Amino acid sequence: MKDIYCLAIESSCDETSMSIVRNGCDEIATVVVSQIDIHKKFGGVVPEIASRSHIETITIVLDEIFKKANMSIDDIDIIGVTYGPGLIGSLLIGLQCAKTISLVTGKPLIPVHHIAGHIYANNLEKRLEFPLIALVVSGGHTDLVYMDKDYSFKKIGSTLDDAVGEAYDKVAKILGLDYPGGPIVDKYAHMGKDTYDLPYPLDDNTYNFSFSGIKSATFNIVHNERQRGNNIRIEDVCTSFQNRVVHVIVKKTFRALQEYGVKNLIIAGGVAANKGLREALMNGAKERGINLSFPKIEHCTDNAAMIGAAAY
Ligand code: KG4
Ligand code: ZN
């Protein structure tokens, strides 16, 4: 069978990324230009600045990806692009670029849902095996998804309010930590003790999640301590927060695997980089004989290689 080369484009938030992926599983080359340093001083992504930054970067990234892969547009078979969800202005830049290349070259344009991309990041490690449960944990999503075949997504649970990555970033902000806060909270969580009495977030019999309650409870503890003039033990807040969040996510994920009679578990999205979550899932999978797979750390956060994998 002829190899299929995909030029993939991702611009849904604050990363301008392109990748060339062969047959949905071999990453030939990837370029990711992150805007984190630009948004850091605002404590979060500023949509208008993000769109303008994509405009400035995208043609440079396009030149760079072909140089890095030592290929040209003639070697490409399909164009994959994130069509949503994401920041509308940011998405438009990647989409417009992809549509233009497709129009000029006549090569097919494949629209990819951003979360399908996160799920298919796992295909870059090893081909997905079905049926599977995908745990999607990112800055915008917290979902449990059942898949019995390629590109068939049945959502069995979702967050009712904040996404888990969003809760991490907001807790980091109240603690005065940098953006994005998830990786910093994760780092501190491994240095502290579980001393703060935080609630377990939506520890019930559904597959849904809710993180706004634990976020507010964390805010209250921090405010109260500040008002009393007490020192906040940042590491201990992070440990207490992470333990509660990981406990509930892991519990619901393994219950879903059991109830659906599924042996394959994959993790997707930026929070899949979380060390505490990875460790807890690895231990649980080992105990239960579950076949667990993760994307590489650089494929957990936004990148175009995952879009190329899904487009194929
Ligand atoms: O998937 P992603 O790059 O973008 C979205 O599609 O949302 O996820 C970004 C999110 C941010 O909220 C970031 O703080 C979080 O992933 N994140 C982490 C870690 N690394 C990234 N959260 C917790 N622990 C981490 N190690
Ligand atoms: Zn993402």
Side-chain angles (χ1 to χ4, degrees), residues 9-262:
I9 303 177
E10 153 66 39
S11 71
S12 65
C13 189
D14 58 343
E15 268 92 24
T16 320
S17 179
M18 293 197 196
S19 182
I20 295 173
V21 178
R22 181 175 51 215
N23 299 335
C25 57
D26 300 324
E27 181 183 21
I28 308 296
T30 298
V31 176
V32 181
V33 176
S34 172
Q35 306 172 5
I36 282 180
D37 286 341
I38 302 172
H39 298 289
K40 232 176 202 164
K41 54 180 168 291
F42 303 103
V45 178
V46 183
E48 179 60 20
I49 296 177
S51 328
R52 285 171 189 270
S53 181
H54 284 302
I55 295 175
E56 286 164 9
T57 315
I58 200 146
T59 48
I60 302 169
V61 173
L62 184 59
D63 281 343
E64 198 55 40
I65 190 63
F66 286 120
K67 270 191 216 141
K68 199 168 171 187
N70 198 18
M71 293 172 81
S72 81
I73 189 69
D74 298 333
D75 303 313
I76 299 297
D77 301 290
I78 58 174
I79 323 288
V81 62
T82 308
Y83 72 87
L87 301 172
I88 194 74
S90 292
L91 285 163
L92 276 172
I93 313 304
L95 267 167
Q96 207 57 33
C97 176
K99 285 183 187 174
T100 307
I101 298 170
S102 170
L103 189 68
V104 170
T105 61
K107 295 177 199 282
L109 180 72
I110 319 283
V112 176
H113 190 284
H114 184 74
I115 298 303
H118 274 302
I119 288 175
Y120 274 82
N122 285 279
N123 226 40
L124 298 164
E125 299 312 305
K126 143 169 160 318
R127 288 252 184 230
L128 303 187
E129 285 176 46
F130 303 101
L132 63 79
I133 296 280
L135 169 66
V136 181
V137 279
S138 76
H141 291 76
T142 314
D143 299 321
L144 279 167
V145 179
Y146 172 81
M147 294 176 73
D148 61 357
K149 57 178 190 290
D150 255 316
Y151 243 74
S152 152
F153 307 102
K154 183 178 170 216
K155 206 193 277 189
I156 61 172
S158 193
T159 182
L160 305 175
D161 40 58
D162 290 0
V164 60
E166 188 183 353
Y168 264 93
D169 293 340
K170 287 178 178 166
V171 162
K173 198 170 178 180
I174 192 88
L175 291 170
L177 305 173
D178 257 351
Y179 174 84
I184 308 172
V185 172
D186 186 18
K187 188 178 106 194
Y188 283 146
H190 287 82
M191 293 155 59
K193 291 195 207 79
D194 189 337
T195 55
Y196 286 102
D197 186 21
L198 290 169
Y200 284 88
L202 199 65
D203 193 6
D204 66 0
N205 288 330
T206 71
Y207 293 120
N208 292 325
F209 300 97
S210 163
F211 299 103
S212 74
I214 187 169
K215 177 195 70 183
S216 302
T218 312
F219 285 12
N220 288 342
I221 285 176
V222 173
H223 284 309
N224 288 342
E225 295 282 47
R226 280 190 186 141
Q227 268 174 355
R228 291 193 192 112
N230 294 340
N231 271 341
I232 298 148
R233 300 182 309 277
I234 292 183
E235 290 87 350
D236 294 354
V237 174
C238 293
T239 309
S240 310
F241 174 80
Q242 179 147 308
N243 281 358
R244 303 296 179 283
V245 167
V246 167
H247 174 87
V248 174
I249 292 178
V250 168
K251 188 170 158 187
K252 292 195 174 189
T253 302
F254 285 117
R255 184 155 49 77
L257 284 155
Q258 195 184 7
E259 282 184 21
Y260 280 76
V262 171

